[in-house]
Every structure is written in structure tokens, then in C-alpha cells.
Amino acid sequence: MPADIKQYGLGLIGAGPFSHHLLERLLLRKDLMAVAACFGSQPARPNSPLDCEVHSQPRAVIENPRTQIVYFAEPASPDIIELAIQYGKVVVLTSTIGLTSGELSRLAGLAAVRGILAVVDEPRRWGDDFLSAKAVFDAGQLGKLQRVRLAIHETSLPGETFSNGVLWELGGHWFDQLLVFTTTVPEAVQLRRFYGTTGTADVGFLATIDFREGISAVVEVQTASLLSLRTGWLLEGATGAYRAGRQYSKTPDGEIIDEPVTVPVLRSDPFLDNLVKSLAGDQTGSSQFVTLSHAVRTSVLIELLENSAPSI
């Protein structure tokens, strides 16, 4: 390894699909290396580095002196996440499912007090549509935001199930993005769930949210639809709008103008790229991180929606 490249040790906890994917990602890098891992009851991964110490307990990964980053590849308990923060490790979650908003808030506060970077690896944050919509929003081209819409009508893959419900497993990704466009709290929410032929497993939802600053948002996700449709983010403000990578505005004489939105070309793994930059003191890409504080807002919104849904 070149002497000018600083390498950070990563401890991996979990045997889910994210663990396999992460190890493949690390093989392509020189600045990050898996130094410790706990795959639970599963044997060591075949593509684990030879000098990666495999432990039988998650605590041993956290306590390993070579571990600087603890990457939870599957849902984790608040106690084990708190332990990693207490040990001063950088914490990366792949999911907040199973954690209440109260637990997340406590962990976010602990990380802030200790000055620990604690984030969620959310791949959808780096999608072209969201980055384009965010660029237009951040530039103030929309004026006061009024309406936000997103619709996904697709058919899930054969054998794909959502044991925690579509709202948590899929909706959480989109609510995370939605809350980037507003800093206020929901004033009124309404949720309708859709069920399959058995009537027990949900296959989609329709969420309507009114925010205190006057933004109206509608998010619909269907996993048993033949439409094969994704609208992407639809944003409409007092002076402009956004749809499908294009910005819309109106001239004084009433002509509607649309123009493409240009966003920087990203490398193949922007999350890990920006994580390494942050560890080296460069915070230029940290605004794209899903912090635990932001994850709290997402969790609160989902809990509000769940409480608003009529029982079946």
C-alpha cells in the first residue's frame, strides 16, 4: 500500500446480505480494510481478508484495538450500538428497523456528546433523481416549497417478502429523503395500507403528510402493481418545480421553461468515499450522510403514520 494512503480498520458485525456486499466493496479499496468480524453462527466469509480476525461475539469486534469503524450489516440492538459509541468507534448502521425513535434519539445524543460520527449507510441517498431534486431545492430555485409527491408502482421480486412491513422496509428509504426537503414537524398524517389476496401481508401504502410550514406531501409505494412506474420526486414551489432531472420555471409573460439539472458525477462508492474523507477531517461530503439525528425524524414520522392507520 502506498505510504501516502492512510488505512482505516473496519469491524463488521452481522451476516446479512449487506455483509457480503460490504466485503466486496472493501476489496476494491486501499483506504479501508476489514480487520475484525462477527458473522454470528455463520462461518467466516470466503472473501474475508486473511488478517481479518473472526470473533464469535459482537463485543469482541468493538473491543478489538484495530477496529476504528464498526459497521452493523444487519439490525442491531441499542445496547450493542451504545457500546460501540462508548468505545469511541465510528458507527455505521445499515438499518434502523427495530429501534424506536426514543432509542435512536438517545443514541444520537450520546454520539453528539462523545463527538462520534454515527450514520446510516443509505445507498438511495446517492441516486441521480434525489441528488438532482436536492440540488434544485438547495439552490432556492423552487421558492417556498408547497407540494412534494412520489409514487412507486412495481411488482416485488419472486420470493421477496417484507417481514417488517412495506412501510418500514421500503417507506423508510423515501421518508428519509422527503425529510431533507423540510425542517418542520408533521402537523397531520394519514396512512392507508394495501393488502394482498391473503389479507394479512401488506403489499403497499399511501401516506399523506401535511407539514407545519405548509408543505403537502404524498408518498405511495405499491409492490404488487403491473404498472412498472416510478415518478421520482415531484417538487413544486412558489417560483419553480422539479421533475425527472429537469427544473421548471415561468417567465414574467407566462412561458414555462424547463432545463436539465446537472449534478457532479460520483465515484462507484460515494458513501465510503465520503466516510474516509470525514475521518481525515474533510467534511465536504458529510451533508449527504444520514445522521442518527435525521434517522430519528424518519422514525418519528413512520410511528406517527402507523398510529394514524385504521386497524383491520
Side-chain angles (χ1 to χ4, degrees):
M1 182 179 67
D4 59 339
I5 297 180
K6 181 175 175 60
Q7 189 176 71
Y8 298 94
L10 184 146
L12 174 62
I13 296 175
F18 265 100
S19 66
H20 180 75
H21 183 221
L22 176 68
L23 290 172
E24 291 183 338
R25 292 158 67 188
L26 294 180
L27 289 174
L28 303 175
R29 309 189 66 93
K30 298 183 183 300
D31 49 12
L32 287 170
M33 179 179 180
V35 296
C38 174
F39 302 115
S41 59
Q42 295 194 15
R45 295 288 188 185
N47 55 347
S48 301
L50 293 177
D51 55 352
C52 175
E53 301 175 47
V54 178
H55 301 283
S56 59
Q57 297 297 325
R59 185 184 186 98
V61 174
I62 296 171
E63 294 176 339
N64 191 306
R66 299 171 64 203
T67 298
Q68 296 164 278
I69 306 162
V70 179
Y71 190 102
F72 292 93
E74 57 189 13
S77 71
D79 292 342
I80 196 68
I81 299 171
E82 179 177 352
L83 182 67
I85 295 173
Q86 294 285 13
Y87 267 80
K89 312 291 185 173
V90 172
V91 171
V92 180
L93 306 180
T94 54
S95 174
T96 60
I97 290 176
L99 298 172
T100 67
S101 60
E103 290 168 337
L104 277 171
S105 181
R106 184 174 61 82
L107 291 169
L110 179 62
V113 169
R114 295 292 304 273
I116 300 300
L117 179 64
V119 297
V120 182
D121 186 356
E122 175 50 87
R124 290 169 179 80
R125 273 291 188 102
W126 310 97
D128 288 343
D129 179 68
F130 173 68
L131 291 178
S132 297
K134 186 175 183 295
V136 174
F137 174 77
D138 289 344
Q141 301 297 325
L142 303 174
K144 179 176 171 53
L145 189 59
Q146 298 170 334
R147 288 174 293 279
V148 182
R149 302 290 186 267
L150 175 77
I152 299 174
H153 298 264
E154 295 181 341
T155 300
S156 58
L157 298 173
E160 187 177 16
T161 59
F162 307 101
S163 57
N164 295 288
V166 176
L167 181 68
W168 276 103
E169 295 203 18
L170 297 183
H173 301 300
W174 307 114
F175 294 132
D176 160 65
Q177 295 183 15
L178 168 66
L179 292 175
V180 170
F181 302 124
T182 175
T183 58
T184 61
V185 298
E187 193 170 55
V189 301
Q190 186 175 11
L191 175 70
R192 179 182 176 186
R193 283 190 174 95
F194 298 92
Y195 294 87
T197 55
T198 62
T200 55
D202 63 320
V203 297
F205 67 86
L206 174 66
T208 304
I209 308 144
D210 293 323
F211 291 93
R212 187 167 295 172
E213 62 192 315
I215 298 174
S216 163
V218 178
V219 176
E220 182 173 12
V221 176
Q222 302 289 349
T223 65
S225 172
L226 302 180
L227 292 175
S228 298
L229 169 69
R230 284 190 177 220
T231 64
W233 285 109
L234 309 177
L235 309 181
E236 191 165 4
T239 59
Y242 168 83
R243 175 176 66 86
R246 302 191 74 84
Q247 173 186 328
Y248 295 81
S249 58
K250 184 183 290 187
T251 65
D253 59 0
E255 180 185 1
I256 297 178
I257 299 175
D258 72 283
E259 51 190 326
V261 179
T262 302
V263 294
V265 177
L266 300 175
R267 293 177 59 186
S268 59
D269 202 329
F271 174 78
L272 292 182
D273 289 343
N274 283 283
L275 183 64
V276 170
K277 286 182 180 179
S278 293
L279 293 175
D282 182 352
Q283 302 299 316
T284 55
S286 60
S287 63
Q288 285 299 110
F289 284 146
V290 182
T291 63
L292 288 195
S293 296
H294 186 84
V296 171
R297 297 182 62 214
T298 303
S299 182
V300 167
L301 176 55
I302 296 177
E303 290 170 357
L304 288 172
L305 286 166
E306 282 190 317
N307 291 334
S308 74
S311 58
I312 58 170

